[in-house]
Amino acid sequence: MTHTIRKAVFPVAGLGTRFLPATKAVPKEMLTVVDKPVIQYIVDEAREAGIEHFIFVTGRNKGVIEDHFDMAYELEATLKSRNKTAELELLGAQLPMAGSTSFTRQQAPLGLGHAIWCARDIIGDEPFAVLLPDMIMRSKKGCLAQMLEVFRATGDNVIAVEECEPDMAHQYGIVGVGEARGKAFEITQMVEKPAKGTAPSNFYISGRYVLQPEIFKFLAMQEKGAGGEIQLTDAMLKLMSRQKFWGMKYEGETFDTGSKIGFLAANVAYGLSRPELSDGFRAEIERLLRKA
Ligand code: UTP
C-alpha cells in the first residue's frame, strides 16, 4: 500500500446557484477573494501539501478555469514588452508544471459523488485527495498537509472535520467519534444532513478528503441520496464497512465561499492580512461600520 498522495481532485462542476447572477457566466470558483480566484487558494493548498497532479472535474461554462491554469501568451508578451517583471513573476509562480493538470467533464451536476467518480480513470489505482473548491482553509500549515501527516501514520482514509454549533448539525455531513489518536479519531459513523436532534456528534466534514481508490466501486453504483444527488458521504459510509476512516481535527479557519457570508468574510480576512492593504482597508471598514 502506498503512503504517498500524488493526485488531487477539484470538483468544479456545480451550478453555484447561491451566487446568481454572478455565476451565470462566471464559475463560482473564479470569484475573487482580494485579487486571486477562489480556486487558486485551493490549488495552492494542494501544491503546498506536495500534490503533483491536479484534476479538475468541470462542466459547461467552466472553460475559464482551464485558461486560468494555462499560459496567457498575449498577456505575457505584452507585460514583457512593458517591463512589468513583478506581474510576470506572479503569473509564472502560479502556472502549474506542463502536464500536471487534467480536466474532465461532468456532463450533468448529479452530485459531488458523481463528480469524483468522473475522475476515476485519471486517478487509477492509488489513494488520492479531494478538495472542495469553495472551501478556503486558512492555517499556518495547510489543511491537506495536516491530513497527510495522519495519512502517513495510518495509511487509511482521512477526512478533515471541524466542530459546528450542535443545533446547526442538520446542515452538514456529520461523523461519529471513536477512539482518539493524536489530533485524529476513528470515525464510527457518517450521515449527510441528519434530521434535527439525531446527529451522532457536532463534528462536520469540512471539505477535504484523502481516499483509497476502492471508493470508486461504491461511487459506480450511482445511488442517489440526500437531495436526490449522488453523495460522496454515502459511498464513504459503504467503504467504512471494509476500511478505516480517520477524522482529523483541522486546526485553522474555514471560509465557505459558496455562501455569501463566507465569501464576504474571506475577503475581509484576507484583505486585512495583506500588509499593503490592511491599514487602508481597516480604516474603510471602520468608517462603514460607524455609518451602518
Ligand atoms: P455545492 O452544492 O456547495 O455547490 O457543492 P454548487 O452546487 O455549485 O452550489 P449551489 O448550492 O448551487 O450554490 C460542493 C462542491 O461540489 C461541486 C461544486 O462545484 C462545489 O464545488 N459539485 C457539486 C460538482 O462538481 N458536481 C455536482 O454535481 C455537485
Side-chain angles (χ1 to χ4, degrees):
M1 191 194 291
T2 171
H3 279 208
T4 310
I5 300 291
R6 300 187 308 122
K7 298 179 181 176
V9 182
F10 305 86
V12 291
L15 298 177
T17 52
R18 284 169 292 168
F19 263 98
L20 285 168
T23 46
K24 188 176 169 195
V26 177
K28 76 171 175 185
E29 299 79 10
M30 288 303 289
L31 300 178
T32 54
V33 168
V34 187
D35 51 9
K36 277 200 305 190
V38 169
I39 186 72
Q40 183 73 58
Y41 288 84
I42 318 299
V43 166
D44 288 348
E45 179 194 326
R47 209 191 314 215
E48 182 216 313
I51 295 298
E52 297 167 8
H53 194 146
F54 306 83
I55 301 157
F56 299 85
V57 180
T58 71
R60 263 170 296 134
N61 282 343
K62 303 281 180 166
V64 289
I65 297 178
E66 232 166 299
D67 294 341
H68 180 74
F69 291 104
D70 194 3
M71 196 174 167
Y73 188 77
E74 285 170 13
L75 171 66
E76 290 179 31
T78 309
L79 291 174
K80 213 176 228 167
S81 72
R82 295 183 187 169
N83 286 325
K84 299 254 183 201
T85 37
E87 288 80 355
L88 270 170
E89 273 169 25
L90 190 77
L91 293 184
Q94 63 106 86
L95 192 68
M97 213 167 72
S100 68
T101 52
S102 295
F103 296 85
T104 187
R105 282 232 180 173
Q106 183 191 27
Q107 287 98 337
L110 301 179
L112 176 61
H114 182 262
I116 305 304
W117 179 73
C118 291
R120 65 199 179 281
D121 281 349
I122 307 176
I123 299 286
D125 191 25
E126 60 183 283
F128 62 102
V130 174
L131 294 95
L132 293 196
D134 47 5
M135 303 298 275
I136 297 186
M137 320 281 269
R138 189 164 79 148
S139 51
K140 236 187 203 154
K141 182 170 199 165
C143 181
L144 186 60
Q146 291 179 32
M147 292 169 75
L148 293 191
E149 284 174 10
V150 178
F151 174 73
R152 278 190 287 269
T154 63
D156 298 320
N157 301 277
V158 184
I159 302 176
V161 295
E162 288 180 71
E163 284 185 88
C164 66
E165 293 299 327
D167 61 346
M168 300 302 274
H170 64 283
Q171 295 188 358
Y172 296 99
I174 299 286
V175 298
V177 178
E179 201 182 312
R181 179 167 169 175
K183 62 178 178 182
F185 58 80
E186 205 175 324
I187 292 176
T188 56
Q189 205 189 336
M190 265 178 229
V191 47
E192 188 63 44
K193 300 191 173 64
K196 272 196 168 179
T198 65
S201 77
N202 63 332
F203 280 103
Y204 70 94
I205 301 172
S206 63
R208 301 287 184 269
Y209 313 77
V210 171
L211 298 169
Q212 299 292 334
E214 287 75 22
I215 192 78
F216 290 120
K217 280 188 212 146
F218 299 104
L219 288 173
M221 294 174 183
Q222 310 231 351
E223 282 169 17
K224 289 186 178 157
E229 295 196 336
I230 299 167
Q231 298 283 357
L232 180 60
T233 310
D234 294 340
M236 291 194 299
L237 195 57
K238 291 197 183 98
L239 182 57
M240 234 177 79
S241 63
R242 302 192 188 176
Q243 293 183 0
K244 271 192 185 175
F245 275 75
W246 295 91
M248 191 224 47
K249 293 184 212 164
Y250 160 63
E251 286 165 8
E253 254 179 311
T254 300
F255 299 97
D256 176 6
T257 66
S259 82
K260 286 175 193 159
I261 298 284
F263 176 76
L264 294 170
N267 270 287
V268 173
Y270 279 91
L272 288 174
S273 68
R274 288 275 288 268
E276 77 281 18
L277 299 174
S278 64
D279 287 351
F281 189 37
R282 187 179 300 276
E284 194 60 20
I285 291 172
E286 282 168 359
R287 187 184 68 79
L288 290 170
L289 284 173
R290 278 195 301 274
K291 273 177 72 178

